[in-house]
Amino acid sequence: MLYQTKNPHGGDIYAEPIELDFSANTNPFGTPQGILDAVQASLRHMHRYPDPYCRQLVREICKFEQVPRQYILCGNGAAELIYTYCEAVKPRCALELAPTFSEYALGLRRMGCRVTRHVLKQSTGFEVGEDVLDAIYSVKPDVVFLCNPNNPTGRTVNPQLMKKILKVCRTENIRLFVDECFLDFTELGESVKPYLAETPQLMILKAFTKSYGMAGIRLGYCMSADSTVLHQMAEAVQPWNVSSLAQAAGIAALKEQKFLQDTKALVGGQRQYLRQELEKLGFWVCPAEANFLLFSGPEFLQERLKEKKIAIRNCDNYEGLCPGWYRIAVRLPEENKRLVEEISRIMHKE
């Protein structure tokens, strides 16, 4: 647990009364009933240790992802896998985007790694451009971290540019860590999974957290053709790091493909609605492709919404952003409508 330190993430709805949480980018539909039923059924086995090899879960991921079983390692959420990856690789220098998910840098710095940032610009819509290749050649890092789509901007990396990044990393023997935890919410985003076999430097991170509404049960997995790194990551955690409840939930989740299709259909339309409404209120909104939006607004907005029992993500702790930047999740239509109405009232009042 966190101890006497500030929580750097969204989703903390426990200190104050919150009715609508837009600060965490989880599935707007919540958790599918099939997953809840699977967890309920697994409770009778709580007296047993969980499978330390996650055998059945790995088999189901293998079929779902269409990759060899030896490419897969499960963990107690995506965050654990980020930290164990950093511990296994022990890079001296890393390159990441700015802004991007904070846990990469936190995990790297624990290992004494120097983190260099490739700064994205509002003037180009926070798009990852060709100049990232120049940054890789210039910095010559041991590892590059990419979030695709990026958090908090919601922008995906152009597939052709991603191929160039992969080629550079192969040629220069640079490790590439690609976080695809939000890829299921995009219409045009492409996974780098087809390049695993030819790129042993590549590591892909995925999680059940966002796509299947499983944030509370902590389950993620990564994929790589480098079995040595996967073995080193596994050695960095205790044998039972994935609970029996999480394993049961993951197995059930991979059967919920219609749920994902319905989610993607909802998110696409509601994301456009939220962007249009926020722009009508005079805010600059990043042209995102994921299930969340980054926008700039007045510095008082978060506190005013909290008074209405609505939580949004203040992004002033992201490198490359400052006070007045916010991220909101795309939620159900009636919830999104209420958020827009409350922001509109606040802006007219102020």
Side-chain angles (χ1 to χ4, degrees):
M1 71 176 191
L2 291 176
Y3 181 72
Q4 296 183 356
T5 55
K6 185 178 180 180
N7 176 26
H9 302 294
D12 186 358
I13 58 172
Y14 305 99
E16 301 176 60
I18 295 295
E19 294 177 353
L20 283 179
D21 182 17
F22 284 85
S23 70
N25 308 322
T26 55
N27 195 303
F29 288 124
T31 312
Q33 188 61 46
I35 297 175
L36 298 176
D37 292 343
V39 172
Q40 179 70 32
S42 71
L43 291 176
R44 67 174 69 98
H45 303 300
M46 280 184 63
H47 63 289
R48 300 173 181 168
Y49 282 102
D51 179 357
Y53 297 99
C54 300
R55 291 173 177 89
Q56 187 178 353
L57 176 58
V58 169
R59 283 196 295 269
E60 295 303 319
I61 295 173
C62 173
K63 289 189 288 186
F64 178 76
E65 297 287 3
Q66 294 295 293
V67 299
R69 194 175 305 175
Q70 63 269 22
Y71 283 19
I72 300 166
L73 179 69
C74 297
N76 189 268
E80 181 186 71
L81 292 164
I82 292 169
Y83 280 80
T84 53
Y85 177 78
C86 294
E87 185 172 342
V89 173
K90 292 181 173 62
R92 295 161 298 173
C93 175
L95 179 69
E96 70 170 20
L97 305 176
T100 198
F101 187 48
S102 63
E103 294 298 330
Y104 311 142
L106 292 172
L108 290 162
R109 284 174 176 156
R110 280 190 180 185
M111 307 311 300
C113 178
R114 175 169 57 88
V115 179
T116 301
R117 292 185 170 89
H118 176 67
V119 179
L120 305 176
K121 300 179 177 63
Q122 180 184 355
S123 60
T124 57
F126 292 105
E127 182 180 21
V128 181
E130 295 273 339
D131 56 348
V132 72
L133 299 172
D134 298 329
I136 296 172
Y137 280 119
S138 174
V139 175
K140 296 182 175 62
D142 298 310
V143 59
V144 175
F145 276 77
L146 289 178
C147 191
N148 188 36
N150 190 31
N151 175 9
T153 66
R155 300 300 305 270
T156 56
V157 180
N158 180 283
Q160 295 306 313
L161 175 58
M162 185 65 87
K163 289 179 183 178
K164 293 178 182 179
I165 296 170
L166 283 159
K167 183 177 180 181
V168 170
C169 290
R170 278 196 303 268
T171 303
E172 303 296 321
N173 195 27
I174 296 171
R175 295 189 182 277
L176 178 61
F177 186 99
V178 181
D179 182 342
E180 296 186 350
C181 287
F182 291 104
L183 199 65
D184 288 337
F185 294 106
T186 68
E187 289 84 21
L188 301 176
E190 292 184 16
S191 174
V192 291
K193 188 172 54 179
Y195 306 101
L196 281 168
E198 66 188 60
T199 315
Q201 298 88 349
L202 175 62
M203 177 71 71
I204 301 174
L205 178 70
K206 297 195 72 173
F208 293 84
T209 306
K210 280 80 178 180
S211 302
Y212 301 99
M214 287 168 49
I217 208 162
R218 313 307 304 140
L219 180 62
Y221 61 96
C222 59
M223 298 179 285
S224 176
D226 189 339
S227 59
T228 299
V229 169
L230 294 177
H231 181 72
Q232 291 169 336
M233 290 172 66
E235 286 190 327
V237 297
Q238 50 99 354
W240 305 284
N241 61 321
V242 182
S243 72
S244 55
L245 304 184
Q247 291 184 42
I251 293 164
L254 294 173
K255 301 172 184 176
E256 297 284 349
Q257 293 317 295
K258 185 179 183 302
F259 176 80
L260 279 189
Q261 293 168 5
D262 293 343
T263 300
K264 190 180 294 187
L266 172 82
V267 165
Q270 288 300 302
R271 182 179 60 235
Q272 183 63 21
Y273 163 76
L274 281 170
R275 182 182 177 187
Q276 289 174 346
E277 295 302 315
L278 290 172
E279 287 177 338
K280 287 178 185 177
L281 293 169
F283 300 151
W284 184 89
V285 186
C286 187
E289 299 151 82
N291 63 321
F292 51 88
L293 287 170
L294 176 71
F295 69 96
S296 62
E299 294 184 23
F300 56 74
L301 186 60
Q302 182 190 30
E303 290 305 316
R304 296 293 185 276
L305 284 171
K306 196 178 291 182
E307 294 169 4
K308 305 293 183 180
K309 300 183 180 180
I310 297 175
I312 62 174
R313 175 69 158 90
N314 188 334
C315 293
D316 62 0
N317 69 326
Y318 278 92
E319 291 287 338
L321 299 179
C322 58
W325 283 99
Y326 304 99
R327 189 196 67 200
I328 55 169
V330 177
R331 299 200 54 79
L332 297 174
E334 60 272 20
E335 296 172 323
N336 298 330
K337 185 172 183 289
R338 182 183 166 191
L339 175 67
V340 168
E341 289 172 348
E342 294 293 356
I343 294 177
S344 180
R345 290 191 190 100
I346 290 168
M347 295 306 296
H348 286 129
K349 183 179 179 180
E350 294 291 338

